Amino acid sequence: MMQNVHLAPETDEDDLYSGYNDYNPTYDTEELENDTAFQQAVRTSHGRRPPSKTSLTSSLGRPMTGAIQDGVARPMTAVRAAGFTKAALRGSAFDPLGQSRGPAPPLEAKNEDSPEEKIRQLEKKVNELVEESCIANSCGDLKLALEKAKDAGRKERVLVRQREQVTTPENINLDLTYSVLFNLASQYSANEMYAEALNTYQVIVKNKMFSNAGRLKVNMGNIYLKQRNYSKAIKFYRMALDQIPSVHKEMRIKIMQNIGVTFIKTGQYSDAINSFEHIMSMAPNLKAGFNLILSYFAVGDREKMKKAFQKLIAVPLEIDEDDKYISPSDDPHTNLVIEAIKNDHLRQMERERKAMAEKYIMTAAKLIAPVIETSFAIGYDWCVEVVKASQYVELANDLEINKAITYLRQKDFNQAVETLKMFEKKDSRVKSAAATNLSFLYYLENEFTQANSYADLAVNSDRYNPSALTNKGNTVFANGDYEKAAEFYKEALRNDSSCTEALYNIGLTYKKLNRLDEALDCFLKLHAILRNSAQVLYQIANVYEIMEDPNQSIEWLMQLISVVPTDSRALSKLGELYDNEGDKSQAFQYYYESYRYFPSNIEVIEWLGAYYIDTQFCEKAIKYFERAALIQPTQVKWQLMVASCYRRSGNYQKALDTYKEIHRKFPENVECLRFLVRLCTDIGLKEVQEYATKLKRLEKMKEIREQRIKSGRDISGSARSKREGSSGSDSGQNSSSSSKGERLSVKLRSLPGTNEPYESSSNKEIDASYVDPLGPQTERPKTAAKKRIEDDDFADEELGDDLLPE
């Protein structure tokens, strides 16, 4: 057992490396074949076994690496990196990866209480608040965006104080401070808190530590422009322009454009012209070109207007041609690519840019055409020639149609028709637009045959033109074929669901067909599109009235007068409905309001006069009947009513003078003479005999006249009975003659008989009924054409005429 025990050497003089000098340093590879230990190690895994506690020696006599010799382990000299250590336990197994030591200890947790970590977390929170504020602004929640921006500002100030306590001021995050302040100012501006926004911008601009902060003076200038403080706006724009280097050309151009717009608002057109001319010479764009034309128009420079229009036409659009989106072959991969880019965001942006260019050019042409030449027609012709020679050739036809529209505004229908007839041989789109306008014109002139022919031409040229289909429906509507008209209106709605004219007209058609539920549905849909349309509101109220639902009708009429509070017809209609419901006080209120806005409506005047007579305030009714007499001076009944009111109120002398004046103007009026005789008798005047004689003579003449009329009818009736051989015709003639006699002998119902007392009055003396001016006899469908013609009176039942479809 003791053979494996090795005692430590007693002295340090023993060399641990003794015996190594006996090793022959020359590499004797020839003897390896005869080395039994080496060959055994090669053939087996003997060499990979861990060392035993016994001393191992090689065949050459030297101890092996790591072997224990004389009680001391042989040191590892050349292979320390392989996992051997000097302090290795004697007899330990070979474990270079340290697997015997078990799993690695867990990572050391961060110290969240450290100041650096707190600052880092607070900075992250500030960034998140700024991002949330920007997202809320983009979603339209401006109030939430401002709250987030304020919160970010508060936390950023706390962050700055903490960082100053821990580190030097040079380590403060200026970029974060700048973004927080800039976002706060932007949110103040978006919420129209301009004073706070300006103060925040001033904090940024005055801080010398922020580089390029002077550019924010553009934003300050924009705020002053919104506040209409134009002098300060120009000042800040110029200060920003001075601080932006010349390499940023696009930014400088935009600022100069803002300066030009501000000069236009202040009326300094010469300064605006200088700004826009510089822009058009350096980097021409559509807005600057259009504003330059406006400035020249303001100063009245014809030649420069022409030059500016040519510059506007020459501005490059920088968009691809439409041919790019047409497949040149049947390659499926190419077709898929073209289909993908045909309506992508870039394509939509190109369309918007082209539409904006066309809008500017059309508006500029319509603006300058009447002033650049001796007549607007010559001016339009010049603009058309310039457009034809440019990349906007398609706009030439639209300008020609606008020329016809200008003729319409000037009431020169013949020239408008001649201009539109020039398009009959053009392409289908233009032909359809011109034919639509011609149909509209002939419809307005009640030439329905011509209107129908041009409506057919418009529909045949472009079956998907909703305006053409609407006009075709109108011509059919005018001929009384309401079912067929409804079909055309439905087809127009299928092609364009936003065609309000077709939807309105189909509602009128259903009213004609007495399909009230469907008519109401159409008008309610239209009300959802046109919230404040007085015509639509009236139609809904009218349908409810026809459906005998006065409460709903009153409710919709109340909405109507909230939109057009001064419309006398709507007010009088409300008065009529309340009168029918028995609410005289409300009826009087609305009738009085109607009279106040339009004091020439005979029906309203008549009702108000009758109201005061019913309430025994005859002296107040006098002014209404006097006004009616002024409006209809040939109607004797109004003057008789004035005299009757004087008589009822007890002013007999004034009544007598009024009757005398009526007799002077209308000497053959029997009722006036009867009252004169009665008054003169009661007062005891000598003229009573004279008036009585005149009255008898007039009554005798009246009897003779009636006898002649009656005898003439009897003769004609007998002759007709002989011709027809029918006894039934006699009764028909008797009824006819009696009805004519009634019309001839009709009397003013408001006047009492001569044998009635002066105080007598009847609730049915005056017929104050309201005749609806918007009844079915006056309903007319809307015409559609390419230019809207506004009608101020909603009672004509037209929303306006839309010329030239989009």
Side-chain angles (χ1 to χ4, degrees), residues 548 756 763 800:
E548 298 181 356
E756 293 180 5
N763 292 332

Side-chain angles (χ1 to χ4, degrees), residues 108-123:
E108 184 179 355
K110 290 184 178 180
N111 186 6
E112 296 183 357
D113 294 334
S114 65
E116 291 81 3
E117 184 63 25
K118 288 182 179 180
I119 290 174
R120 191 179 300 109
Q121 292 297 326
L122 189 56
E123 186 173 334

Side-chain angles (χ1 to χ4, degrees), residues 382-580:
W382 181 87
C383 292
V384 168
E385 293 301 321
V386 173
V387 171
K388 283 182 178 179
S390 68
Q391 55 183 331
Y392 304 99
V393 182
E394 297 177 354
L395 292 182
N397 293 327
D398 293 338
L399 279 175
E400 289 282 1
I401 292 180
N402 272 298
K403 180 180 175 182
I405 301 305
T406 308
Y407 279 125
L408 282 178
R409 289 176 175 170
Q410 296 181 354
K411 308 299 182 184
D412 193 346
F413 296 104
N414 294 328
Q415 285 291 340
V417 170
E418 291 299 323
T419 305
L420 291 172
K421 284 183 176 180
M422 294 167 53
F423 294 96
E424 292 185 8
K425 296 183 180 180
K426 298 283 186 179
D427 60 81
S428 60
R429 185 188 69 85
V430 180
K431 185 194 297 183
S432 177
T436 300
N437 289 338
L438 286 168
S439 174
F440 152 74
L441 285 173
Y442 285 122
Y443 183 87
L444 290 183
E445 294 178 352
N446 293 328
E447 297 183 17
F448 298 123
T449 304
Q450 290 280 4
N452 187 51
S453 64
Y454 278 105
D456 289 333
L457 178 61
V459 171
N460 294 332
S461 301
D462 185 2
R463 188 72 188 186
Y464 298 100
N465 185 349
S467 298
L469 292 166
T470 302
N471 282 353
K472 177 61 180 175
N474 291 348
T475 58
V476 177
F477 184 96
N479 292 328
D481 192 352
Y482 303 124
E483 292 286 354
K484 191 173 181 181
E487 292 300 323
F488 281 108
Y489 296 142
K490 288 178 182 177
E491 187 175 355
L493 286 172
R494 284 194 295 269
N495 293 335
D496 183 7
S497 59
S498 63
C499 184
T500 55
E501 291 83 1
L503 187 56
Y504 184 91
N505 290 349
I506 199 172
L508 293 183
T509 306
Y510 286 143
K511 277 181 66 178
K512 289 287 188 181
L513 295 171
N514 201 30
R515 293 157 62 177
L516 299 179
D517 291 332
E518 296 178 63
L520 182 62
D521 185 53
C522 291
F523 290 126
L524 288 174
K525 287 179 181 177
L526 194 57
H527 175 64
I529 301 171
L530 306 173
R531 279 290 177 185
N532 295 323
S533 173
Q535 297 166 300
V536 177
L537 291 170
Y538 175 80
Q539 288 298 334
I540 296 173
N542 184 246
V543 171
Y544 275 121
E545 182 186 4
I546 298 172
M547 295 171 70
E548 298 181 356
D549 191 348
N551 294 328
Q552 284 289 340
S553 182
I554 289 173
E555 181 180 342
W556 284 96
L557 284 174
M558 293 294 289
Q559 294 187 39
L560 173 60
I561 62 172
S562 68
V563 176
V564 280
T566 61
D567 191 282
S568 61
R569 294 187 180 183
L571 291 167
S572 63
K573 190 66 180 176
L574 265 174
E576 178 194 352
L577 290 173
Y578 276 115
D579 187 28
N580 294 337

Side-chain angles (χ1 to χ4, degrees), residues 173-296:
N173 191 346
L174 292 177
D175 292 337
L176 181 61
T177 305
Y178 180 87
S179 62
V180 168
L181 291 174
F182 178 66
N183 179 61
L184 181 60
S186 300
Q187 302 307 333
Y188 275 134
S189 179
N191 285 271
E192 298 183 359
M193 301 171 67
Y194 298 130
E196 291 83 352
L198 289 172
N199 292 335
T200 309
Y201 279 127
Q202 285 287 0
V203 172
I204 303 175
V205 171
K206 290 183 177 180
N207 195 332
K208 302 298 183 181
M209 300 177 68
F210 295 135
S211 60
N212 300 323
R215 300 182 183 184
L216 295 182
K217 291 181 180 178
V218 176
N219 294 8
M220 299 176 72
N222 292 339
I223 293 175
Y224 283 121
L225 184 63
K226 291 178 182 177
Q227 292 179 330
R228 299 187 179 183
N229 191 344
Y230 301 125
S231 59
K232 278 197 172 183
I234 293 173
K235 174 184 175 182
F236 275 87
Y237 285 143
R238 286 177 169 169
M239 291 168 64
L241 192 65
D242 293 339
Q243 296 188 18
I244 293 179
S246 58
V247 293
H248 301 290
K249 292 182 180 179
E250 186 176 355
M251 188 65 184
R252 291 179 63 86
I253 289 296
K254 289 182 178 180
I255 295 175
M256 291 194 68
Q257 190 157 317
N258 286 6
I259 293 173
V261 171
T262 312
F263 277 131
I264 289 179
K265 289 184 177 292
T266 58
Q268 299 173 262
Y269 299 111
S270 58
D271 294 328
I273 288 171
N274 293 334
S275 297
F276 292 127
E277 281 183 342
H278 177 74
I279 295 172
M280 293 302 289
S281 62
M282 297 296 295
N285 62 75
L286 295 169
K287 290 183 180 179
F290 181 73
N291 287 333
L292 183 60
I293 293 174
L294 290 181
S295 302
Y296 284 135

Side-chain angles (χ1 to χ4, degrees), residues 538-723:
Y538 175 80
Q539 288 298 334
I540 296 173
N542 184 246
V543 171
Y544 275 121
E545 182 186 4
I546 298 172
M547 295 171 70
E548 298 181 356
D549 191 348
N551 294 328
Q552 284 289 340
S553 182
I554 289 173
E555 181 180 342
W556 284 96
L557 284 174
M558 293 294 289
Q559 294 187 39
L560 173 60
I561 62 172
S562 68
V563 176
V564 280
T566 61
D567 191 282
S568 61
R569 294 187 180 183
L571 291 167
S572 63
K573 190 66 180 176
L574 265 174
E576 178 194 352
L577 290 173
Y578 276 115
D579 187 28
N580 294 337
E581 291 294 304
D583 192 343
K584 293 290 184 182
S585 60
Q586 284 285 357
F588 170 75
Q589 176 185 348
Y590 288 110
Y591 271 123
Y592 182 78
E593 287 294 312
S594 175
Y595 172 79
R596 191 164 65 88
Y597 289 118
F598 184 63
S600 299
N601 190 329
I602 292 296
E603 291 83 1
V604 174
I605 293 172
E606 190 175 9
W607 191 94
L608 288 171
Y611 174 80
Y612 279 119
I613 290 175
D614 289 342
T615 54
Q616 304 298 323
F617 291 101
C618 299
E619 61 277 3
K620 291 186 177 181
I622 292 173
K623 71 172 184 177
Y624 295 103
F625 292 125
E626 286 178 344
R627 179 170 289 278
L630 288 175
I631 297 170
Q632 296 179 345
T634 59
Q635 294 288 332
V636 66
K637 67 176 182 178
W638 306 122
Q639 299 181 43
L640 288 172
M641 288 304 302
V642 173
S644 176
C645 290
Y646 280 125
R647 177 177 55 79
R648 289 165 183 260
S649 60
N651 193 347
Y652 301 126
Q653 185 60 44
K654 189 68 175 177
L656 180 62
D657 295 339
T658 306
Y659 280 125
K660 286 181 179 181
E661 183 65 22
I662 296 171
H663 177 66
R664 187 180 64 79
K665 293 180 180 179
F666 303 94
E668 294 186 358
N669 187 274
V670 177
E671 298 297 331
C672 180
L673 282 172
R674 286 176 181 169
F675 280 107
L676 279 172
V677 171
R678 181 66 181 273
L679 280 173
C680 290
T681 301
D682 291 344
I683 298 176
L685 298 178
K686 297 178 180 180
E687 294 94 335
V688 63
Q689 190 62 38
E690 177 185 354
Y691 293 131
T693 304
K694 289 182 179 180
L695 178 61
K696 289 180 181 179
R697 185 170 66 250
L698 283 175
E699 288 178 344
K700 187 175 182 180
M701 290 174 63
K702 183 177 179 181
E703 291 177 2
I704 294 172
R705 190 181 300 115
E706 290 178 353
Q707 288 177 0
R708 287 178 180 175
I709 293 172
K710 184 177 181 181
S711 62
R713 288 174 179 168
D714 291 340
I715 294 171
S716 62
S718 60
R720 187 178 297 109
S721 64
K722 288 180 180 180
R723 288 194 304 269

Side-chain angles (χ1 to χ4, degrees), residues 339-403:
E339 191 67 27
I341 66 174
K342 188 177 291 184
N343 199 33
D344 61 357
H345 292 295
L346 182 60
R347 176 61 172 160
Q348 292 174 7
M349 187 179 71
E350 289 178 349
R351 287 200 192 102
E352 291 174 0
R353 184 173 178 81
K354 186 176 181 181
M356 183 180 67
E358 292 177 354
K359 178 183 177 182
Y360 281 142
I361 292 169
M362 291 292 293
T363 307
K366 289 188 288 186
L367 179 69
I368 68 173
V371 297
I372 58 176
E373 298 291 348
T374 55
S375 68
F376 86 91
I378 301 175
Y380 262 108
D381 292 337
W382 181 87
C383 292
V384 168
E385 293 301 321
V386 173
V387 171
K388 283 182 178 179
S390 68
Q391 55 183 331
Y392 304 99
V393 182
E394 297 177 354
L395 292 182
N397 293 327
D398 293 338
L399 279 175
E400 289 282 1
I401 292 180
N402 272 298
K403 180 180 175 182

